[in-house]
Amino acid sequence: LNNKGGLIFCIKAMRNVVECAYKVAQNDVTVLITGPSGAGKEHIANMIQARSKRKNKPFVRINCAAIPETLLESELFGYEPGAFTGGLAKGRKGLIESADNGTLLLDEIGELPMTLQSKLLRVLQDHEVRRVGGNQTIKVNFRLIASTNANMKQMIAEKKFREDLYYRLSVIEIRIPGLEQRKDDIPLLINYFLKIFNVKYDMHKYMSKEAIEYLSNAEYPGNVRELRNIVERTMILSKNDEIKLSDAYEAFGMFIQTHIAAKDFKIDIVSTPN
């Protein structure tokens, strides 16, 4: 069992991920973290930054999918006074500049528009940034970590992502497996989340062996994030300190009869909510 930087795991694949993160942390190499949503990409980015030479410098994060395309350029690169209507009269420093001497995390890099991909590539090549509406270049020194849940090779084939930028980003690529490849980690994660929510809600709940076994064999498209939500929901909705199989099953949104064959998990469904 390992608990490093908020990561709970026992399987070899995750151990390899963490060891790789430790190795690259001390070097200013650009890192691309890939894996499905909810798998823990941000935890790995935090781990790298916390163990880097820039750990006491700015750590600037931006989710490329969360900002409208029309605003993303000015957020990243900043803008000069009068660059566009509605901007600050004195202009604004962009997030790349704000990360100077520190680390910039570009989450969901696959959502970056093609026009901005070329500008980002130029920044990585020249270590200079030019604000929107400006003519001067500003020297920047930052370490870049990018993350995505997209299939980058497919995006390149579909002409949705620049191949030259991909190779700039993926000097080191760390791939995080989804929860379907981490079945042995699920009981550890469940107990970890139980401890967290017992403290948060001042509870003393624990999960039966049958409930843990059932949850360990369930499917989680949302990966660790979804499992965390399921455990929290189960704790809140269960009536007793012991979380039983019926409680775990109900957390998935189904009502069941009192008779449950725990051994093979054959459950008689009465109804499902609309």
Side-chain angles (χ1 to χ4, degrees), residues 243-257:
I243 299 173
K244 299 181 180 180
L245 175 60
S246 56
D247 300 315
Y249 194 80
E250 189 170 351
F252 277 91
M254 296 182 179
F255 300 110
I256 59 177
Q257 291 179 347

Side-chain angles (χ1 to χ4, degrees), residues 11-30:
I11 67 168
K12 183 178 179 181
M14 283 302 296
R15 188 179 302 114
N16 291 340
V17 165
V18 172
E19 288 176 356
C20 183
Y22 282 2
K23 288 178 181 178
V24 304
Q26 288 297 313
N27 301 290
D28 264 357
V29 63
T30 300

Side-chain angles (χ1 to χ4, degrees), residues 93-152:
K93 180 167 65 174
L95 293 173
I96 293 177
E97 280 186 73
S98 298
D100 192 32
N101 294 319
T103 303
L104 177 67
L105 170 60
L106 292 180
D107 190 18
E108 300 301 344
I109 187 72
E111 298 294 327
L112 196 66
M114 290 290 284
T115 53
L116 299 188
Q117 290 178 28
S118 59
K119 291 194 68 171
L120 177 61
L121 179 62
R122 194 175 307 118
V123 171
L124 296 178
Q125 290 173 338
D126 302 334
H127 305 287
E128 295 177 340
V129 64
R130 180 179 296 176
R131 295 180 181 179
V132 176
N135 296 317
Q136 294 184 339
T137 56
I138 302 166
K139 286 288 183 181
V140 287
N141 174 12
F142 63 92
R143 197 250 183 94
L144 178 63
I145 302 174
S147 66
T148 182
N149 62 7
N151 184 328
M152 301 301 285

Side-chain angles (χ1 to χ4, degrees), residues 180-195:
E180 75 278 359
Q181 298 170 287
R182 299 179 55 190
K183 291 293 186 180
D184 289 345
D185 285 347
I186 293 179
L188 303 178
L189 289 163
I190 289 172
N191 285 313
Y192 177 68
F193 294 142
L194 284 170
K195 291 177 183 178

